[in-house]
Amino acid sequence: MAAKKKKKKERKEKGLQFYREMGLKAVVVTVLLAAALSYYVYNPMPDAIQEPWKLMAVDAAFRTGINLVREDAFSAFRGCKSPAGVVPGVKVSDITFAGVPVRVYEPPAGGEGHLRRGLLYLHGGGWAFGSGKMGAYDKVSRMISDELNTVVVSVEYRLFPEVLFPEPFLDCVAAAKHFLSPEVLDKYAIDPERVAVSGDSAGGNLAAAVAQEVATDDSVPVKFSVQALIYPVLQALDFNTPSYVQNRNMAILPRQVMVQFWLQYLGADISLQPQLIANNHSALQHSVLTPELRSRLDWTSLLSQKFKKSYKPVVAERDSHGLLKKIPGLLDARSSPLLAGPEVLAKCPRAYILTCEFDVLRDDGLMYARRLKDAGVAVTSDYYEDGFHGCLSFTSWPLDFDVGKRVLRNYMTWLQNNL
């Protein structure tokens, strides 16, 4: 009897020991997973960024998406759309303009007896992902259509890896010219004197390039009256501007990711990324980069001291890889609107250019604003000291930021007052 009790007690103690060991292992695994997750998510933020942990979480999700792009699996994100009826009364139609898919938003006020505004919008996403039908873009298009009595046309241009430069640009130009045709403007009761082109990030790049193309094409009788560029990417010859260096590891769009987007867009090998980050592609040996051409993106003369700070230009002596021959698109103003000559800029419509302090693209926008002004174009430069790349897309709970709400409201106010 005593022996049975002893064995029973031993089995109980062994069981308890087993559970204690399993519990300890579970705790260790949990701690390790939490540490790994924190390591993946944690990215030091500037003090001016509000709710830094929220931005870190968004950044971690975005980095995951970028990895999926490398595996050509971002299609799941492309299909993410907003539910219809976010703004009651706005009519939404998915059609084509000159063979290019577009989504048209018509305001509820109607056009009977009153001409309306028109806005061509080009979404961002590094020329590789995104859609005007996705949540934030769809929401903003509906708001603009409703509040500003505007017919908004959001262009679904083709993306990498399906196509490379210049195809996305050509899609946008085709849609723009169709939209600006007198027949289409008349169909939607749009005032031909009140038509804008706008876009953010890579879409801002396309919007600027389309604005230049339309402005200089005499076969297009109706021109855009304004262009609204939201943290646009405008050049690929200098990845060591003050904002590129200062924000090289910033959330959402670190320098290496922007360089990756450029290489993908221009059909180049991703392995060339370190060469471009070192500015070897714009080395002094390249005679095609004349002093006049270099002056078009010379941040030492185009930026104010507030933004130059103590940064120094990074200029390579030689390019041993022949990068400009391998990537001719680097010198094409259709991909890099900042390279356009003053004679082209002088014909462009008045502009609104939004830039953010914590964005590698800040100086692209600031330099373009300066060059447009020098060419005689009226420019509103809207700069946010606490802004970060992509903030316009974060205006709804739970991924809402105060700066995003301010950016959206000021953008819409400018359109209301200038379009």
Side-chain angles (χ1 to χ4, degrees):
M1 193 71 174
K4 288 183 178 181
K5 286 183 178 180
K6 183 177 180 181
K7 287 183 179 181
K8 186 176 181 180
K9 184 178 180 181
E10 289 175 349
R11 285 198 299 271
K12 185 177 180 180
E13 289 178 349
K14 287 181 179 179
L16 290 172
Q17 179 64 24
F18 171 79
Y19 285 115
R20 280 195 292 267
E21 291 177 356
M22 288 300 293
L24 180 61
K25 290 179 180 178
V27 169
V28 171
V29 169
T30 301
V31 170
L32 290 175
L33 287 174
L37 181 61
S38 297
Y39 177 79
Y40 183 73
V41 171
Y42 183 72
N43 182 9
M45 296 290 159
D47 293 338
I49 295 293
Q50 299 179 4
E51 300 181 279
W53 276 102
K54 184 188 290 187
L55 184 55
M56 288 181 206
V58 171
D59 178 54
F62 189 76
R63 279 185 279 122
T64 301
I66 295 299
N67 290 331
L68 289 173
V69 167
R70 290 193 184 107
E71 299 168 11
D72 192 26
F74 213 94
S75 56
F77 287 82
R78 293 178 187 168
C80 179
K81 303 176 183 179
S82 286
V86 173
V87 178
V90 173
K91 179 183 176 182
V92 179
S93 306
D94 291 321
I95 57 175
T96 61
F97 275 13
V100 180
V102 299
R103 171 168 281 194
V104 180
Y105 301 81
E106 297 179 65
E112 300 80 3
H114 299 283
L115 293 179
R116 305 180 287 193
R117 297 178 175 94
L119 173 69
L120 187 81
Y121 196 86
L122 309 174
H123 68 81
W127 309 285
F129 62 91
S131 165
K133 301 176 183 179
M134 291 175 66
Y137 291 120
D138 184 69
K139 172 188 172 183
V140 172
S141 292
R142 291 173 188 267
M143 288 177 63
I144 292 174
S145 181
D146 179 52
E147 296 184 27
L148 304 185
N149 191 31
T150 302
V151 176
V152 179
V153 175
S154 182
V155 182
E156 294 294 294
Y157 57 90
R158 290 170 294 169
L159 303 168
F160 172 87
E162 178 188 356
V163 296
L164 307 174
F165 173 79
E167 297 307 318
F169 165 77
L170 296 176
D171 284 354
C172 295
V173 168
K177 290 182 177 180
H178 183 85
F179 185 39
L180 290 169
S181 66
E183 298 79 14
V184 173
L185 295 177
D186 182 64
K187 174 184 176 180
Y188 290 105
I190 297 172
D191 186 341
E193 301 294 325
R194 304 175 75 188
V195 188
V197 61
S198 183
D200 66 295
S201 194
N205 166 281
L206 292 167
V210 168
Q212 292 180 4
E213 178 72 16
V214 169
T216 55
D217 188 343
D218 293 335
S219 70
V220 182
V222 179
K223 307 294 186 182
F224 289 114
S225 56
V226 302
Q227 57 179 320
L229 314 179
I230 302 167
Y231 31 76
V233 49
L234 298 167
Q235 60 85 29
L237 287 179
D238 189 353
F239 293 111
N240 286 275
T241 64
S243 62
Y244 262 112
V245 176
Q246 171 186 292
N247 300 300
R248 59 190 179 279
N249 296 316
M250 185 59 194
I252 307 298
L253 190 64
R255 178 169 60 176
Q256 64 178 11
V257 170
M258 190 63 248
V259 175
Q260 175 192 328
F261 283 152
W262 268 114
L263 290 169
Q264 290 175 170
Y265 184 44
L266 298 178
D269 194 322
I270 300 298
S271 67
L272 296 175
Q273 189 180 64
Q275 299 297 321
L276 268 64
I277 290 177
N279 275 359
N280 289 339
H281 59 306
S282 55
L284 292 174
Q285 76 177 74
H286 293 298
S287 58
V288 67
L289 293 176
T290 62
E292 198 279 329
L293 185 59
R294 289 182 185 273
S295 71
R296 298 177 186 179
L297 45 82
D298 179 10
W299 60 262
T300 65
S301 62
L302 294 172
L303 296 181
S304 68
Q305 188 57 47
K306 173 181 178 180
F307 300 108
K308 288 190 291 187
K309 301 176 183 176
S310 59
Y311 292 100
K312 303 297 181 185
V314 174
V315 182
E317 290 290 333
R318 300 196 59 78
D319 168 20
S320 60
H321 290 76
L323 295 170
L324 291 184
K325 290 184 178 180
K326 290 181 179 179
I327 321 174
L330 289 168
L331 296 176
D332 195 323
R334 297 176 302 170
S335 75
S336 302
L338 189 59
L339 295 181
E343 72 285 355
V344 172
L345 299 186
K347 295 182 179 181
C348 288
R350 66 184 185 277
Y352 168 87
I353 301 179
L354 187 153
T355 56
C356 295
E357 175 64 19
F358 304 112
D359 181 6
V360 293
L361 303 178
R362 181 198 70 193
D363 296 343
D364 282 24
L366 293 173
M367 288 191 288
Y368 197 52
R370 169 67 183 277
R371 290 203 59 221
L372 284 170
K373 288 179 182 177
D374 289 348
V377 177
V379 179
T380 297
S381 186
D382 195 11
Y383 162 72
Y384 291 82
E385 290 188 341
D386 59 342
F388 57 88
H389 191 81
C391 58
L392 178 67
S393 297
F394 302 112
T395 61
S396 300
W397 187 88
L399 298 179
D400 56 323
F401 292 84
D402 176 69
V403 66
K405 295 176 182 178
R406 281 186 279 120
V407 162
L408 174 57
R409 183 48 53 191
N410 292 341
Y411 166 58
M412 292 183 63
T413 298
W414 188 88
L415 288 174
Q416 184 176 30
N417 294 335
N418 292 273
L419 179 59

